[in-house]
Structure formats: structure tokens, C-alpha cells
Amino acid sequence: MALTGLQIFKLLPNTNCKKCGCPTCLAFAMKLAAGKESLDKCPDASPEAQAALGAASAPPIRAVTIGHGERAITVGEETVFFRHEKTFVHRPGFFRVLDASTPASAIEDRLTDWSAIRIDRAGEVFRVDGIAVVESPGSPEFAPAAAQAAAAHGLPVAILAATTKGAAAAAEPIKDRRPLIVPPAGADPGPFVALAARLGAALVVSGADLDSLAAAAADAARAGVADILLEPPGDDLATLHKHLTLVRRGALERIHPGLAYPVFLRVGAGEFSKAVVGTSTFASIMAVADSGGETWMPLWTLRQNIYTDPQQPLRMDPGIYAIGEPTGASPLLVTTNFSLTYFTVSTELDGVGVACYLAVVDAEGLSVLTAWSAGKFSGDRVGKALRELKAAEHVSHRTIIIPGYVAVISGELEDALGDGWQVLTGPQEASDIGPFFRDVWETARPK
Amino acid sequence: MTLTVKPKTWPGAIREVTLGAGSRQGLTIGGGKGLPLHTFEAAFPRRPLLALEITDVDPPRWVDTVRAPWDGALGRPDVAAKRAVEEYGADVVMLHLVGTHPDRGDRSPAEAVEATRQVLDAVGVPLIVKGPGGGSRQNDVLVRVAEECRGEGLVLHSAAQEDYKSLAAVTVAYGHVLVAESPIDLNIAKQLNILLSDANVDMDRVLIDPMTGGLGYGLEYSYSVMQRIRLAALGGDRMLNAPVICLVGEEAWKAKEVKVDGTPAAVWGDRARRGVQWEIATALPLLEAGADLLVLRHPEALAEVRRVVDGWFVAGS
Ligand code: SF4
């Protein structure tokens, strides 16, 4: 928590020597508290004052980096509780669990497949962010082999350890790749702390409650571990959510230095809801046991939603937007300037792969049906807007595709546009645009 | 040293609204006195309720994977309602009168009343009735249903800022509950509630539908506007403290990602399961953001959200 002016004042020499340019130490303290001055200006400030002010201005949640090189992932450094306050800083990393039951011969294939995944969605690339290798005393060769293979693919590695010895064997060879060591639940943290400190690796600490969690992190920091993640307790979702919430709140309120770290979660097979709650509620690294796309697609997408800029306007600027590289013969569609509508339609058009123009007209940020019933998407209004946007200069034809929900405006729009314009009624739902292009546009298109 | 994170306390609370009356077994939502799901620090006398959506006619737009569990019941509202409640465990049923849309069957208000009656006869739970969407047909249909099914405490979906008067009137006259829908906009949500209040609608009979963006299609907007609405409500704003309803199923199952087969399969996984999880991943964040009533489509999504909610409100430590 930031210090108050009076708290800072108590740390100053109280000589009122004016060397800082302020008439009194108190005046200077008030400016410091308001962030309008810097402590350097007081030449007599004690080391204690510097330390206290420095700690108060450090980020409430430390940055932690796992991995090395292009695919290294940094988490932490969050500054707010609600996403509407300010964009969340670092998207959480989703690590795929590579189980010790994987035959040695299959490790390479699996890693090749996983590291090659790239899904482009709305300006973001979805990838597997890292590999969580399971260490199993029953197959001591597995974890070191898998960890090295994953590191060789450039992927960040977490080691879900069973024993200190096994964790050391897996982490040591890749120690310059900043691995993350995750001790088993309930283990004595001491040997793992020593291992992480010795290797310079990142470490997950846990605790049965908030107190012991914070204490464990503080102990690990004191023992020389720089990169720490917190694994909050909670066997059921309510308890987990409570601790996720309290860790974030405690960190932001700076109530204990042991809470100033990002959060780690393990998500077992079939624990989809836990992964969802973790993604929306402050988890920073998750090791996800399920590897199927039916789990990863929604998680990636949810992460994309939660971590976007909350200031993105709900209304688009009216205009003619090019999708792909359209030519004069490409389709021309029109919709409202409600950004959800625009986003749904443009994402779909992108996906369909037909280059076209999408005219976005000012309908006061309402969706198609709402806009129409409020008189903001009438034939007259749309026609006038299209003329203002000079739609006719973009295409060589005179066909405009309107949303299926407003088929009724066809006649009025044709009248409003005049000049031989024809209205083609498109589908009601954006998801039907593909079939529409194939079945309707291909036959109706102006030749 | 013992670590204490100060519990948050708030001057305001969410209103309690009872759904269903007359021949319905009434159920109450709302009443929360803290941030959504923060059961560890605030009182939540009511748990969120889960509804399933059924339709008056076979809904042609429903993708095969969400049609499957409704096989034999699509377009048969009585059969679907029974299945929703008795087999799938819905607390509430939402009858979506898709067939009354001029382009999707053009069924008359009388036929809408008939479908509603079938559902009322089939099950005893509270009923949400959703019209065909904006325009005059919406009012014609919902006004008739409200008149003919007076006293049943129906949840009428929905009134908007541009057009709320006739639905406000029948809500008051016939003892129903009205959903006030706003386009992801806190100010409009508030303004509409003020208008409804001025039209003599008791605020204890209003739900807010802040408009749901499905996962990947604006979920974040709904999520954040709901959190802001909830913060305002807890701060004491009595025009924003109505319980919130979210139409999750409709939005989640619209996504391209639930429809495509998706290649490679290793990246997209099982399509049916993907759809269910898409719906779950839309529902749970909205619960966190303050939803008091979720309308779902797939019974497996309902079962999982039910498991989460039940665990939450029992554990609640
Ligand atoms: S320079 Fe330091 S000691 Fe001198 S008045 Fe400013 S704050 Fe006080």
C-alpha cells in the first residue's frame, strides 16, 4: 500500500533545511505521497526511508519468467482486481501436462505436435505456452528426457515433481532455461527451496491456508529463490476461488510480502470448470492435464476475452472495412456499428475466406434487430449512410447484402439508394455467411 | 504473524425477486450482500438458478450437438418442458417463442398462448417467456401471453429502452416479472429501470438482462458491465440492484467454434464436448460477474454448472 504523507514525514530528518526545494519536510512528504516528488531531492534521507519508500513503490505482484528465448513466458506484475479498471498485464500461461505414462518413443512426436500448434484468432496466436513434465519415481528416466526434449523445442518447462532427487535430475540439465519446479502437494518445502535456490529455478510454494502460503513464499525468498509462484489451497472450487481472490486482494493491498507473487494452478483430468475459474480469476500459470482441443479452445478464447483492453469501444467508427483483399467485384455487406455485431461478422468473414467489404453504419451502437426496432437501421438511414460512406466507389457492382433480420428494409433501401442498387438479403446469423456466399451469392452475384 | 485480508462490506444488497406465482412453485433469486460468489465474506441467502431453454417450434438454427439431448422434444414444448425439469433438473424453464417471428413461422399470439399453456400444464416451475425479438410482434405476443396467463408470475423477456410501455403495463396489471434488457451499457440499464419505475413497475419485479456476449464473441463486455453494475448495486444504487439474467445457451451455441468440425482434430477435439464446454466457459465467468439466473441449452452444461453452484453454496467457507 502506498505510504501516506504523514508516514513518509516520520521517516524524514525533520530539519526543514529546504535543500529539497520545499519549505518544510512535511510539505516535501506530502508531495512524495502524491507522487509529485522523488526522494532523491532530499540529500539527508536515511537508508531506512529509502528502503521503505522503495518497497512501497515496487509492483504489488512480482514478475516471474519461465523458459528462455522467444517462447519464454512472463507472468505477474498485475495491478488491479477488476479487468474494467485497467488491462490485465500478462496473459496466463497454459502448460500441457506430459505424463510419465507417455512411452519414451512418443515424447518427441507429441512435443513436435504441441509446439507446432498455432491458431490465429482475432489478432492473437493461441499456442501451447509450456510443458509440464510429470516426474515419477517409477520411471526415473522419463522426466529428465521429457524436460530436455521440451526445452530443445524452445518450450518453457514446469516439473511436476514427486521427489527432490527426481526434480533435481530433471531440472539440473535445463537450469539455464529457467524451469519451474512444482513440489508435490504436502511435501516438506525445505529441500525444494534449496534446490531452486541452487539452480536459480522458479519454484511453486503452497500452504494449507493463506498464512502458511505467504510464510512459505517469504521463507523461499529469504533462502534465495527469486522467482516464486503461489499455489493457493482449495480442493473445491469455492475454497479455491476464495484463496485466489484473497491472494490478489492481499497482494494489491500489500498486506504481506509473501503474497506479492503470481499464482500457479494444477488442473487435473476432467477439471474443466477449475480451469475456467482459474483463467477468469487470477491464475498465472496452469498445468492442464487434458490435452484435447475441446478443452483448450474454450480456455484460450476465454483468456483472450478476459485479457483484452477493457477500453475497447463498444461502438465501431462508421466506415467501409476491407476483409482480406477485396476487389471491385467482391461482395459488399452492411451492418451496424455495435462492436459485438461487427466483431462477430468480421470474424466470420475472415474465417470464411471470401474477401469483401463490410460497411459499418452508425446505428448508435445497437445490434441489428434492436437498431432496426429503434428506427436506427431503417432503409432510409442505411441508404443515407452508405451514400455518405461512398460505398459505390468501392465496388463496381450495385448489390448490397443486408442482415437477414432486417429483410423488411429491402424495398426502402433500394429506393433510398436508387441508381440501380439491388438489395440481397443475407443470413440472420453471421455463422451462416459461409453457406450464404456459397449458395446465394454465387448465383445472385452481379456478373 | 496472522495474515488478515479485510472482508469487504457494502452498504447495498441485491433485491430479492420471486419468479413464478399462481400455479407455479415460486422461486426467489437475489439477496446477495457481497461481490458475486464471495460466499466467504458476505451473506448470499439465495443461490443462482439454472434454466433450460425450450422452443415453441423446432428451432432450425440449433446445431445438431445441442439438438441431440432434445431429440423427440423439439417443437413440442410440453414434452421438452417435462424433460427439462424432470430429467435434466432445470430450476426454471424458458420458453422461447421463436416461431412467432415473422420470418420463422409467423405464428400468431394465440398460438404463443397455446404453447405457453402447454408448458404451464406440463411443469410446476417458474417460466420465462421470451418473445421473438424487437419490433411490434414482440409486444403483440408477450402482451397476449401476459394477459391470458395472468397471475402466473411469468418472467417476460424482454423490454428495452425504446419500447417498454406495453410490457410494463401488463407486468403491473397481471402480476408478472419483467426483464429489462440493455445493450451492455450500465447507464441504459439504469435509465430503463428508472423508466419502468416511473411506469409503476415495482422494482421487486424486475430483472436486468445486460445482454450476453458468448465466449469469444463479446463475453468480456458482458462480464465487465455486470461487474460494474454489481459494484454500483452494492454501493447502494437502487436502480441497478435488480438480479441479473443471462441467456447463455443462445449465445454460446451461436459461436462458430461450436459448429465447425475443426482440423486438425488434435487441436479442436471432440465437437460435441467442445460445444458443451463452450457453454460452461460462458456460464461460469458470468456467474462470477453477478448472474443470478442462467438460461442454458445443453443439459450436460446445466449438470456441470449445477455441480459447481451446489458445491459452492454448500462449501461456502
Ligand atoms: S531536504 Fe530533506 S531534510 Fe531538508 S527540508 Fe527537504 S525533506 Fe526536510
Side-chain angles (χ1 to χ4, degrees):
Chain A
M1 213 176 305
L3 297 177
T4 66
L6 271 179
Q7 285 169 324
I8 296 172
F9 171 66
K10 289 184 187 143
L11 298 166
L12 293 175
N14 198 14
T15 54
N16 299 334
C17 73
K18 304 189 176 63
K19 283 186 250 175
C20 58
C22 287
T24 61
C25 291
L26 182 61
F28 183 62
M30 291 302 174
K31 287 199 169 176
L32 278 175
K36 289 180 183 152
E37 273 298 355
S38 130
L39 188 62
D40 322 334
K41 293 224 184 133
C42 170
D44 303 325
S46 65
E48 293 78 46
Q50 285 165 4
L53 274 170
S57 61
I61 300 173
R62 304 271 295 267
V64 171
T65 299
I66 315 289
H68 174 86
E70 182 245 331
R71 297 190 69 166
I73 177 164
T74 297
V75 294
E77 297 186 293
E78 300 298 338
T79 58
V80 295
F81 189 88
F82 293 105
R83 72 175 286 283
H84 64 250
E85 298 173 81
K86 196 162 176 281
T87 315
F88 288 159
V89 180
H90 294 295
R91 298 180 316 178
F94 297 160
F95 283 41
R96 267 191 205 204
V97 172
L98 189 57
D99 203 83
S101 68
T102 315
S105 57
I107 294 176
E108 187 51 35
D109 280 355
R110 208 157 290 181
L111 289 171
T112 305
D113 287 352
W114 290 356
S115 67
I117 292 174
R118 281 185 64 97
I119 297 148
D120 285 281
R121 188 182 196 282
E124 186 184 330
V125 181
F126 297 166
R127 310 185 79 169
V128 173
D129 299 307
I131 304 295
V133 171
V134 178
E135 188 252 310
S136 148
S139 39
E141 317 77 35
F142 173 78
Q148 284 168 60
H153 277 278
L155 289 163
V157 176
I159 296 154
L160 304 180
T163 63
T164 339
K165 190 160 160 268
E172 183 116 43
I174 57 163
K175 65 179 197 302
D176 56 339
R177 303 301 186 95
R178 287 175 175 270
L180 171 65
I181 298 172
V182 188
D188 170 16
F192 288 97
V193 168
L195 175 66
R198 178 167 69 80
L199 298 179
L203 179 72
V204 168
V205 300
S206 56
D209 53 35
L210 208 58
D211 273 345
S212 51
L213 180 63
D219 288 349
R222 225 171 286 123
V225 180
D227 294 321
I228 296 169
L229 287 116
L230 309 173
E231 184 175 18
D235 290 334
D236 62 274
L237 278 183
T239 311
L240 178 67
H241 180 263
K242 163 186 165 177
H243 289 115
L244 288 165
T245 302
L246 292 180
V247 165
R248 172 62 66 92
R249 196 189 286 167
L252 296 179
E253 292 177 0
R254 297 172 194 272
I255 62 165
H256 190 293
L259 294 181
Y261 297 100
V263 164
F264 172 86
L265 274 195
R266 329 169 189 244
V267 179
E271 293 188 319
F272 180 71
S273 294
K274 180 176 179 180
V276 169
V277 169
T279 304
S280 55
T281 316
F282 314 139
S284 284
I285 299 278
M286 295 201 301
V288 180
D290 286 327
S291 63
E294 67 278 343
T295 291
W296 283 69
M297 272 304 197
L299 292 182
W300 274 319
T301 308
L302 177 59
R303 180 181 70 179
Q304 180 174 49
N305 281 174
I306 297 290
Y307 281 77
T308 49
D309 176 1
Q311 301 302 335
Q312 266 187 61
L314 259 172
R315 294 180 187 195
M316 297 289 300
D317 288 333
I320 307 246
Y321 292 81
I323 311 284
E325 287 169 21
T327 66
S330 300
L332 169 67
L333 301 91
V334 63
T335 192
T336 78
N337 69 329
F338 185 40
S339 34
L340 260 58
T341 303
Y342 169 80
F343 182 64
T344 306
V345 175
S346 63
T347 306
E348 191 59 39
L349 290 169
D350 249 346
V352 166
V354 176
C356 55
Y357 289 103
L358 179 57
V360 170
V361 305
D362 181 8
E364 299 188 3
L366 301 171
S367 64
V368 171
L369 209 47
T370 316
W372 172 75
S373 49
K376 312 291 183 200
F377 205 73
S378 62
D380 274 344
R381 228 178 122 114
V382 173
K384 185 155 169 275
L386 286 171
R387 264 185 280 115
E388 278 166 11
L389 293 173
K390 303 198 184 344
E393 293 178 12
H394 288 79
V395 288
S396 50
H397 57 80
R398 290 289 172 270
T399 300
I400 176 86
I401 300 166
I402 61 169
Y405 278 114
V406 291
V408 296
I409 71 169
S410 301
E412 194 186 304
L413 177 56
E414 282 179 359
D415 291 347
L417 285 168
D419 195 23
W421 277 90
Q422 289 196 332
V423 171
L424 191 57
T425 303
Q428 292 186 347
E429 302 296 344
S431 53
D432 296 329
I433 288 175
F436 169 81
F437 277 151
R438 193 183 56 229
D439 304 334
V440 183
W441 171 255
E442 280 308 318
T443 45
R445 66 184 300 170
K447 300 287 179 334
Chain B
M1 130 180 205
T2 311
L3 219 170
T4 346
V5 182
K6 261 191 277 159
K8 289 244 185 284
T9 54
W10 304 89
I14 306 311
R15 277 173 203 273
E16 293 201 345
V17 172
T18 299
L19 322 176
S23 70
R24 313 291 87 202
Q25 175 215 344
L27 289 174
T28 303
I29 54 174
K33 294 183 169 57
L35 289 171
L37 299 184
H38 287 212
T39 47
F40 59 88
E41 63 178 1
F44 290 83
R46 314 287 179 177
R47 64 180 64 187
L49 294 184
L50 308 180
L52 281 172
E53 176 179 357
I54 63 172
T55 54
D56 56 344
V57 296
D58 187 327
R61 271 160 218 294
W62 286 29
V63 58
D64 59 343
T65 42
V66 74
R67 291 173 67 89
W70 299 102
D71 190 34
L74 291 163
R76 296 167 68 193
D78 49 344
V79 179
K82 265 195 168 355
R83 194 179 294 178
V85 174
E86 289 163 17
E87 272 183 59
Y88 298 151
D91 300 310
V92 173
V93 167
M94 180 173 94
L95 173 63
H96 186 178
L97 297 165
V98 260
T100 58
H101 190 282
D103 299 335
R104 297 193 196 169
D106 202 20
R107 285 159 61 96
S108 67
E111 287 171 294
V113 169
E114 172 56 25
T116 308
R117 283 213 183 287
Q118 282 180 23
V119 176
L120 291 173
D121 290 343
V123 294
V125 301
L127 180 62
I128 306 162
V129 183
K130 176 170 161 51
S136 60
R137 179 56 68 91
Q138 164 102 336
N139 282 339
D140 295 348
V141 167
L142 290 180
V143 164
R144 270 296 285 288
V145 169
E147 283 168 0
E148 300 286 332
C149 305
R150 65 187 65 189
E152 294 286 0
L154 300 179
V155 180
L156 305 172
H157 192 291
S158 62
Q161 188 187 22
E162 302 78 33
D163 186 4
Y164 63 89
K165 287 186 179 142
S166 31
L167 289 181
V170 291
T171 298
V172 175
Y174 304 115
H176 297 303
V177 172
L178 185 57
V179 176
E181 188 174 358
S182 42
I184 314 196
D185 187 315
L186 179 143
N187 296 320
I188 295 178
K190 177 166 178 159
Q191 179 60 25
L192 177 53
N193 282 354
I194 292 171
L195 293 170
L196 291 175
S197 188
D198 290 348
N200 291 320
V201 181
D202 181 350
M203 275 295 119
D204 294 342
R205 292 186 164 277
V206 172
L207 305 182
I208 293 174
D209 183 342
M211 193 165 181
T212 301
L215 176 61
Y217 296 87
L219 175 66
E220 71 274 30
Y221 290 105
S222 304
Y223 180 87
S224 283
V225 85
M226 282 165 63
Q227 287 191 323
R228 291 174 49 229
I229 288 174
R230 193 50 48 109
L231 285 168
L234 293 172
D237 190 327
R238 298 181 55 77
M239 284 299 134
L240 283 172
N241 66 354
V244 167
I245 176 175
C246 289
L247 305 194
V248 171
E250 176 171 348
E251 296 305 320
W253 289 93
K254 248 188 215 170
K256 181 178 70 183
E257 286 84 349
V258 311
K259 297 181 182 169
V260 295
D261 282 323
T263 49
V267 174
W268 289 84
D270 178 71
R271 188 166 62 93
R273 192 65 205 151
R274 194 194 319 135
V276 169
Q277 299 201 143
W278 206 266
E279 188 168 17
I280 294 168
T282 304
L284 294 179
L286 293 174
L287 270 184
E288 278 182 2
D292 299 281
L293 176 56
L294 295 176
V295 185
L296 303 160
R297 261 187 197 173
H298 202 296
E300 286 173 33
L302 180 128
E304 175 59 12
V305 177
R306 162 84 66 216
R307 193 187 65 80
V308 170
V309 168
D310 284 356
W312 213 290
F313 285 80
V314 173
S317 56

mmCIF file of all heavy atoms in Angstrom, chain A residues 9 12-29 32 39 41-45, ligand 1:
data_model
loop_
_atom_site.group_PDB
_atom_site.id
_atom_site.type_symbol
_atom_site.label_atom_id
_atom_site.label_comp_id
_atom_site.label_asym_id
_atom_site.label_seq_id
_atom_site.Cartn_x
_atom_site.Cartn_y
_atom_site.Cartn_z
ATOM 1 N N PHE A 9 6.573 11.464 6.330
ATOM 2 C CA PHE A 9 7.133 12.559 7.134
ATOM 3 C C PHE A 9 7.946 12.012 8.314
ATOM 4 O O PHE A 9 9.024 12.488 8.637
ATOM 5 C CB PHE A 9 5.998 13.463 7.620
ATOM 6 C CG PHE A 9 6.432 14.484 8.622
ATOM 7 C CD1 PHE A 9 7.313 15.507 8.265
ATOM 8 C CD2 PHE A 9 5.975 14.422 9.938
ATOM 9 C CE1 PHE A 9 7.718 16.453 9.192
ATOM 10 C CE2 PHE A 9 6.381 15.372 10.867
ATOM 11 C CZ PHE A 9 7.251 16.376 10.503
ATOM 12 N N LEU A 12 11.480 11.237 7.508
ATOM 13 C CA LEU A 12 12.376 12.308 7.055
ATOM 14 C C LEU A 12 13.111 12.929 8.260
ATOM 15 O O LEU A 12 12.674 12.775 9.405
ATOM 16 C CB LEU A 12 11.567 13.373 6.306
ATOM 17 C CG LEU A 12 10.965 12.912 4.976
ATOM 18 C CD1 LEU A 12 10.080 14.002 4.385
ATOM 19 C CD2 LEU A 12 12.050 12.520 3.990
ATOM 20 N N PRO A 13 14.223 13.644 7.996
ATOM 21 C CA PRO A 13 15.043 14.188 9.096
ATOM 22 C C PRO A 13 14.327 15.247 9.947
ATOM 23 O O PRO A 13 14.717 15.490 11.086
ATOM 24 C CB PRO A 13 16.228 14.832 8.369
ATOM 25 C CG PRO A 13 16.253 14.218 7.010
ATOM 26 C CD PRO A 13 14.842 13.867 6.679
ATOM 27 N N ASN A 14 13.270 15.865 9.403
ATOM 28 C CA ASN A 14 12.545 16.917 10.111
ATOM 29 C C ASN A 14 13.447 18.068 10.541
ATOM 30 O O ASN A 14 13.347 18.586 11.654
ATOM 31 C CB ASN A 14 11.794 16.338 11.332
ATOM 32 C CG ASN A 14 10.708 17.301 11.798
ATOM 33 O OD1 ASN A 14 10.363 18.231 11.062
ATOM 34 N ND2 ASN A 14 10.213 17.108 13.006
ATOM 35 N N THR A 15 14.333 18.453 9.654
ATOM 36 C CA THR A 15 15.190 19.615 9.924
ATOM 37 C C THR A 15 14.707 20.844 9.164
ATOM 38 O O THR A 15 15.187 21.951 9.404
ATOM 39 C CB THR A 15 16.635 19.330 9.493
ATOM 40 O OG1 THR A 15 16.612 18.924 8.123
ATOM 41 C CG2 THR A 15 17.259 18.233 10.332
ATOM 42 N N ASN A 16 13.793 20.638 8.260
ATOM 43 C CA ASN A 16 13.273 21.729 7.429
ATOM 44 C C ASN A 16 14.401 22.556 6.796
ATOM 45 O O ASN A 16 14.365 23.783 6.789
ATOM 46 C CB ASN A 16 12.340 22.639 8.245
ATOM 47 C CG ASN A 16 11.152 21.852 8.775
ATOM 48 O OD1 ASN A 16 10.765 20.835 8.179
ATOM 49 N ND2 ASN A 16 10.584 22.297 9.873
ATOM 50 N N CYS A 17 15.407 21.877 6.279
ATOM 51 C CA CYS A 17 16.578 22.560 5.736
ATOM 52 C C CYS A 17 16.347 23.132 4.342
ATOM 53 O O CYS A 17 17.170 23.862 3.821
ATOM 54 C CB CYS A 17 17.769 21.612 5.712
ATOM 55 S SG CYS A 17 17.624 20.363 4.412
ATOM 56 N N LYS A 18 15.226 22.763 3.717
ATOM 57 C CA LYS A 18 14.819 23.331 2.421
ATOM 58 C C LYS A 18 15.689 22.916 1.244
ATOM 59 O O LYS A 18 15.529 23.437 0.140
ATOM 60 C CB LYS A 18 14.746 24.864 2.472
ATOM 61 C CG LYS A 18 13.826 25.417 3.544
ATOM 62 C CD LYS A 18 13.664 26.928 3.341
ATOM 63 C CE LYS A 18 12.680 27.541 4.319
ATOM 64 N NZ LYS A 18 13.069 27.434 5.724
ATOM 65 N N LYS A 19 16.652 21.988 1.441
ATOM 66 C CA LYS A 19 17.505 21.604 0.313
ATOM 67 C C LYS A 19 16.690 20.922 -0.793
ATOM 68 O O LYS A 19 17.098 20.908 -1.951
ATOM 69 C CB LYS A 19 18.622 20.672 0.792
ATOM 70 C CG LYS A 19 19.750 21.421 1.509
ATOM 71 C CD LYS A 19 20.907 20.500 1.848
ATOM 72 C CE LYS A 19 20.954 20.287 3.367
ATOM 73 N NZ LYS A 19 21.957 19.335 3.814
ATOM 74 N N CYS A 20 15.562 20.343 -0.424
ATOM 75 C CA CYS A 20 14.726 19.660 -1.423
ATOM 76 C C CYS A 20 13.915 20.661 -2.244
ATOM 77 O O CYS A 20 13.253 20.279 -3.200
ATOM 78 C CB CYS A 20 13.780 18.693 -0.736
ATOM 79 S SG CYS A 20 12.719 19.506 0.458
ATOM 80 N N GLY A 21 13.955 21.925 -1.795
ATOM 81 C CA GLY A 21 13.164 22.922 -2.518
ATOM 82 C C GLY A 21 11.813 23.148 -1.877
ATOM 83 O O GLY A 21 11.059 24.014 -2.308
ATOM 84 N N CYS A 22 11.482 22.367 -0.859
ATOM 85 C CA CYS A 22 10.223 22.575 -0.149
ATOM 86 C C CYS A 22 10.513 23.340 1.136
ATOM 87 O O CYS A 22 11.597 23.199 1.710
ATOM 88 C CB CYS A 22 9.582 21.233 0.207
ATOM 89 S SG CYS A 22 8.891 20.406 -1.217
ATOM 90 N N PRO A 23 9.530 24.137 1.598
ATOM 91 C CA PRO A 23 9.767 24.921 2.805
ATOM 92 C C PRO A 23 9.953 24.040 4.047
ATOM 93 O O PRO A 23 10.683 24.404 4.948
ATOM 94 C CB PRO A 23 8.519 25.790 2.921
ATOM 95 C CG PRO A 23 7.476 25.118 2.079
ATOM 96 C CD PRO A 23 8.216 24.402 0.999
ATOM 97 N N THR A 24 9.259 22.889 4.074
ATOM 98 C CA THR A 24 9.357 22.028 5.260
ATOM 99 C C THR A 24 9.444 20.570 4.822
ATOM 100 O O THR A 24 9.072 20.208 3.695
ATOM 101 C CB THR A 24 8.107 22.141 6.151
ATOM 102 O OG1 THR A 24 6.987 21.709 5.374
ATOM 103 C CG2 THR A 24 7.871 23.568 6.626
ATOM 104 N N CYS A 25 9.918 19.749 5.749
ATOM 105 C CA CYS A 25 9.928 18.299 5.487
ATOM 106 C C CYS A 25 8.499 17.794 5.251
ATOM 107 O O CYS A 25 8.272 16.910 4.433
ATOM 108 C CB CYS A 25 10.545 17.553 6.668
ATOM 109 S SG CYS A 25 12.308 17.830 6.874
ATOM 110 N N LEU A 26 7.552 18.369 6.029
ATOM 111 C CA LEU A 26 6.167 17.906 5.879
ATOM 112 C C LEU A 26 5.646 18.202 4.474
ATOM 113 O O LEU A 26 5.018 17.352 3.838
ATOM 114 C CB LEU A 26 5.277 18.567 6.938
ATOM 115 C CG LEU A 26 3.810 18.124 6.910
ATOM 116 C CD1 LEU A 26 3.698 16.626 7.157
ATOM 117 C CD2 LEU A 26 2.969 18.889 7.920
ATOM 118 N N ALA A 27 5.935 19.381 3.986
ATOM 119 C CA ALA A 27 5.471 19.729 2.634
ATOM 120 C C ALA A 27 6.077 18.767 1.602
ATOM 121 O O ALA A 27 5.391 18.298 0.685
ATOM 122 C CB ALA A 27 5.857 21.165 2.308
ATOM 123 N N PHE A 28 7.341 18.465 1.799
ATOM 124 C CA PHE A 28 8.014 17.537 0.886
ATOM 125 C C PHE A 28 7.371 16.140 0.964
ATOM 126 O O PHE A 28 7.117 15.479 -0.044
ATOM 127 C CB PHE A 28 9.498 17.483 1.255
ATOM 128 C CG PHE A 28 10.329 16.621 0.336
ATOM 129 C CD1 PHE A 28 10.453 16.922 -1.015
ATOM 130 C CD2 PHE A 28 11.011 15.515 0.836
ATOM 131 C CE1 PHE A 28 11.237 16.135 -1.847
ATOM 132 C CE2 PHE A 28 11.788 14.723 0.009
ATOM 133 C CZ PHE A 28 11.906 15.035 -1.343
ATOM 134 N N ALA A 29 7.055 15.720 2.197
ATOM 135 C CA ALA A 29 6.437 14.405 2.399
ATOM 136 C C ALA A 29 5.092 14.330 1.679
ATOM 137 O O ALA A 29 4.750 13.319 1.062
ATOM 138 C CB ALA A 29 6.256 14.145 3.889
ATOM 139 N N LEU A 32 5.685 13.849 -1.928
ATOM 140 C CA LEU A 32 6.119 12.471 -2.203
ATOM 141 C C LEU A 32 4.920 11.530 -2.231
ATOM 142 O O LEU A 32 4.790 10.676 -3.106
ATOM 143 C CB LEU A 32 7.091 11.994 -1.112
ATOM 144 C CG LEU A 32 8.556 12.408 -1.250
ATOM 145 C CD1 LEU A 32 9.324 11.943 -0.022
ATOM 146 C CD2 LEU A 32 9.174 11.808 -2.504
ATOM 147 N N LEU A 39 12.355 11.066 -3.835
ATOM 148 C CA LEU A 39 13.103 11.133 -2.578
ATOM 149 C C LEU A 39 14.550 11.594 -2.799
ATOM 150 O O LEU A 39 15.175 12.137 -1.876
ATOM 151 C CB LEU A 39 13.059 9.762 -1.888
ATOM 152 C CG LEU A 39 13.624 9.704 -0.462
ATOM 153 C CD1 LEU A 39 12.838 10.594 0.486
ATOM 154 C CD2 LEU A 39 13.653 8.281 0.060
ATOM 155 N N LYS A 41 15.668 14.073 -3.966
ATOM 156 C CA LYS A 41 15.891 15.507 -3.745
ATOM 157 C C LYS A 41 16.249 15.838 -2.309
ATOM 158 O O LYS A 41 16.699 16.953 -2.027
ATOM 159 C CB LYS A 41 14.636 16.296 -4.150
ATOM 160 C CG LYS A 41 14.385 16.242 -5.641
ATOM 161 C CD LYS A 41 14.013 17.604 -6.166
ATOM 162 C CE LYS A 41 13.663 17.531 -7.643
ATOM 163 N NZ LYS A 41 12.422 18.242 -7.928
ATOM 164 N N CYS A 42 16.014 14.908 -1.400
ATOM 165 C CA CYS A 42 16.416 15.136 -0.011
ATOM 166 C C CYS A 42 17.753 14.447 0.217
ATOM 167 O O CYS A 42 17.806 13.226 0.337
ATOM 168 C CB CYS A 42 15.364 14.599 0.965
ATOM 169 S SG CYS A 42 15.948 14.599 2.674
ATOM 170 N N PRO A 43 18.834 15.195 0.308
ATOM 171 C CA PRO A 43 20.156 14.583 0.429
ATOM 172 C C PRO A 43 20.355 13.896 1.780
ATOM 173 O O PRO A 43 21.240 13.055 1.922
ATOM 174 C CB PRO A 43 21.116 15.774 0.279
ATOM 175 C CG PRO A 43 20.321 16.986 0.595
ATOM 176 C CD PRO A 43 18.893 16.668 0.275
ATOM 177 N N ASP A 44 19.524 14.231 2.757
ATOM 178 C CA ASP A 44 19.736 13.689 4.091
ATOM 179 C C ASP A 44 18.822 12.511 4.429
ATOM 180 O O ASP A 44 18.802 12.063 5.568
ATOM 181 C CB ASP A 44 19.526 14.807 5.127
ATOM 182 C CG ASP A 44 20.456 15.977 4.835
ATOM 183 O OD1 ASP A 44 21.603 15.698 4.377
ATOM 184 O OD2 ASP A 44 20.041 17.131 5.022
ATOM 185 N N ALA A 45 18.071 12.031 3.437
ATOM 186 C CA ALA A 45 17.136 10.928 3.721
ATOM 187 C C ALA A 45 17.927 9.694 4.147
ATOM 188 O O ALA A 45 18.959 9.368 3.572
ATOM 189 C CB ALA A 45 16.310 10.614 2.487
HETATM 190 S S1 SF4 C 1 15.772 18.333 2.112
HETATM 191 FE FE1 SF4 C 1 15.077 16.694 3.414
HETATM 192 S S2 SF4 C 1 15.533 17.428 5.437
HETATM 193 FE FE2 SF4 C 1 15.643 19.201 4.129
HETATM 194 S S3 SF4 C 1 13.594 20.072 4.191
HETATM 195 FE FE3 SF4 C 1 13.621 18.715 2.446
HETATM 196 S S4 SF4 C 1 12.900 16.838 3.305
HETATM 197 FE FE4 SF4 C 1 13.470 18.038 5.031
#
